[in-house]
Amino acid sequence: MKGVLRKIHIAREAARSKKAYDLVVIDLRGLFPFSDFWLICSGTSSVQTQAIAEEIMEKMQEHSFRPLHVEGEDTGEWILLDYGDLIVHIFREAERSFYQLEKLWRKAPLVYSERENVDLLEDIR
């Protein structure tokens, strides 16, 4: 579990450094077969979401984590960075509101949320 927590912390701090907002981490273990955790965040424009994605990939690579797959970077509307046990979703406001991943996966425990002032990352086992 230590490796994925490290990924979450690196990605979260990188996103924050580019002014991503409304960061959320949900625990999908046992609910989603391809990943254990999702980090979801927003940017105000395509330029900002692209900058957030680039920063996350750069910081993750500094720690020898490389994405298995990247989608949406060209348009910046919804960028997906797949790190295996962690998938990062970076949305523009309109797309996040439309797709509502947190609502779609509401059975998944919320382990981090800026909006709801929840931080249970250190409690994950």
Side-chain angles (χ1 to χ4, degrees):
M1 190 53 56
K2 201 172 192 175
V4 72
L5 287 176
R6 187 166 177 229
K7 289 178 189 178
I8 292 168
H9 286 290
I10 294 165
R12 184 181 63 178
E13 294 312 308
R16 280 187 180 150
S17 77
K18 292 298 179 181
K19 308 296 185 218
Y21 64 93
D22 199 10
L23 281 81
V24 171
V25 177
I26 58 176
D27 182 347
L28 290 157
R29 292 176 293 176
L31 298 173
F32 187 72
F34 304 110
S35 182
D36 292 336
F37 295 91
W38 285 0
L39 168 62
I40 304 167
C41 63
S42 296
T44 57
S45 68
S46 294
V47 172
Q48 185 186 18
T49 58
Q50 290 163 333
I52 293 165
E54 289 171 16
E55 184 73 5
I56 291 171
M57 288 189 290
E58 181 180 309
K59 295 299 181 188
M60 294 288 268
Q61 186 155 344
E62 287 176 10
H63 295 273
S64 300
F65 299 123
R66 289 176 181 72
L68 304 172
H69 187 71
V70 176
E71 282 187 38
E73 197 175 21
D74 54 336
T75 65
E77 295 169 358
W78 175 1
I79 302 172
L80 182 145
L81 308 175
D82 181 353
Y83 287 94
D85 49 7
L86 171 66
I87 294 179
V88 179
H89 298 272
I90 308 162
F91 285 99
R92 285 190 322 181
E93 292 178 57
E95 285 73 22
R96 185 165 180 184
S97 178
F98 179 80
Y99 290 104
Q100 298 185 12
L101 289 186
E102 296 100 311
K103 192 173 185 179
L104 181 65
W105 290 93
R106 66 181 162 265
K107 289 184 181 180
L110 184 68
V111 293
Y112 180 85
S113 172
E114 289 182 343
R115 183 180 344 134
E116 296 184 32
N117 200 25
V118 172
D119 188 352
L120 303 173
L121 288 172
E122 301 308 320
D123 298 335
I124 295 173
R125 302 278 177 249

